[in-house]
């Protein structure tokens, strides 16, 4: 079956611009996660959605970052007024239970 | 704060040369320890989940083990296609469902 998909695969933007990253989870997966992977660093948790519960936003690094999820489907991660330190690979994952999170291919964001 | 430390940072093996990767962790109430494989330019691929000390899981040439302080990923008779970065992550009992990752071990298997 189809895995987690993300778009775009690459995004180059200018400092100060807003960007939107999209994630399509595996069908039926109730949980959706966003992580950030900076070069040479481990994955950092950003935000977690579980069904209709309030999202866990504890990993968002600043108020420039926000995310939404429509029901149990698509999610968008928005970064406002991008900064150079936002350059990273943004990874989305989904899970049916707590056993395993399945990751998408990521969006590589470059802020010039 | 949950912490995961992986060693070595990089490992170069000859084909058929078995070895082990280490993942040391501190977590408040371990719910699960996860191993992932990540190829360049791709997202992490799930390998194993371990839940309690003494547990072992195997998949092809890989075997993961868990103690109260660390996990090992043993690679038996590796092949060049096993070359990848191996990531370890923990999920804490009281920390929601987020994973805390180590920085990974970059494995290269040469002919």
């Amino acid at each position: 079956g189809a895995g987690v998909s993300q778009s775009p695969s690459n995004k180059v933007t200018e400092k100060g611009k807003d960007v939107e990253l999209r994630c399509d989870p595996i069908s039926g997966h109730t949980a959706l996660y966003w992580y950030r992977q900076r070069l040479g660093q481990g994955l950092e948790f950003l935000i977690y959605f579980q069904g209709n519960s309030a999202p866990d936003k504890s990993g968002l690094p600043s108020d420039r970052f926000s995310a939404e999820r429509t029901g149990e489907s698509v999610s968008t991660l928005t970064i406002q007024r991008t900064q150079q330190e936002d350059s990273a690979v943004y990874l989305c994952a989904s899970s049916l239970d707590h056993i395993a999170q399945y990751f998408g291919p990521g969006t590589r964001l470059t802020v010039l | 704060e949950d912490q995961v430390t992986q060693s070595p940072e990089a490992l170069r093996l000859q084909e058929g040369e078995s070895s082990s990767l280490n993942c040391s962790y501190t977590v408040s109430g371990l719910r699960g320890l996860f191993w992932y494989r990540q190829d360049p330019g791709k997202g992490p691929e799930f390998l194993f989940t371990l839940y309690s000390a003494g547990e072992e899981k195997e998949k092809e040439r890989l075997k993961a083990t868990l103690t109260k302080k660390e996990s090992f990923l043993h690679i038996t008779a590796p092949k060049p296609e096993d070359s990848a970065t191996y990531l370890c992550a923990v999920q804490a009992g009281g920390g929601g469902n987020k994973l805390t990752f180590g920085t990974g071990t970059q494995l290269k298997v040469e002919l």
Side-chain angles (χ1 to χ4, degrees):
Chain A
V4 177
S5 60
Q6 293 186 245
S7 61
S9 56
N10 282 284
K11 176 72 176 178
V12 180
T13 190
E14 294 180 348
K15 178 181 173 181
K17 301 280 189 182
D18 298 352
V19 295
E20 270 193 6
L21 312 180
R22 176 187 169 106
C23 172
D24 280 274
I26 294 171
S27 178
H29 280 194
T30 56
L32 186 147
Y33 312 78
W34 285 96
Y35 292 85
R36 176 170 70 176
Q37 188 173 33
R38 289 169 159 166
L39 192 63
Q41 298 185 21
L43 278 74
E44 303 170 73
F45 166 78
L46 296 176
I47 188 169
Y48 156 61
F49 297 91
Q50 173 67 59
N52 294 320
S53 301
D56 176 357
K57 303 180 181 180
S58 61
L60 295 179
S62 77
D63 58 10
R64 296 187 296 104
F65 287 72
S66 62
E68 294 184 346
R69 186 181 187 194
T70 307
E72 293 186 350
S73 60
V74 171
S75 176
T76 55
L77 177 69
T78 301
I79 308 173
Q80 296 179 310
R81 305 181 302 281
T82 52
Q83 304 295 313
Q84 288 184 331
E85 61 262 30
D86 299 334
S87 295
V89 175
Y90 289 82
L91 291 158
C92 174
S94 69
S95 70
L96 181 60
D97 48 33
H98 304 313
I99 295 176
Q101 296 178 20
Y102 295 90
F103 284 82
T107 293
R108 181 175 298 278
L109 175 67
T110 303
V111 182
L112 301 176
Chain B
E1 184 181 340
D2 304 332
Q3 286 193 324
V4 178
T5 303
Q6 292 188 247
S7 62
E9 291 185 8
L11 180 62
R12 181 172 289 185
L13 299 173
Q14 296 296 310
E15 184 176 15
E17 179 186 2
S18 301
S19 188
S20 296
L21 312 183
N22 178 265
C23 171
S24 298
Y25 65 91
T26 56
V27 64
S28 52
L30 181 71
R31 176 187 278 179
L33 184 140
F34 299 77
W35 282 99
Y36 285 84
R37 168 189 171 131
Q38 187 172 28
D39 292 295
K42 297 189 177 182
E45 174 190 345
F46 172 73
L47 294 174
F48 305 109
T49 308
L50 301 167
Y51 295 102
S52 58
E55 188 175 1
E56 298 183 352
K57 288 196 175 170
E58 289 188 64
K59 179 180 180 179
E60 296 181 354
R61 295 176 293 281
L62 301 176
K63 182 168 82 171
T65 61
L66 181 65
T67 73
K68 289 186 177 179
K69 294 184 178 180
E70 58 191 350
S71 176
F72 291 94
L73 185 65
H74 306 278
I75 304 177
T76 302
K79 298 182 178 181
E81 53 262 42
D82 295 322
S83 297
T85 296
Y86 290 86
L87 302 173
C88 174
V90 296
Q91 190 177 61
N97 292 322
K98 70 177 183 182
L99 297 179
T100 300
F101 281 84
T103 53
T105 293
Q106 189 172 354
L107 173 66
K108 184 169 177 61
V109 182
E110 300 173 329
L111 292 170

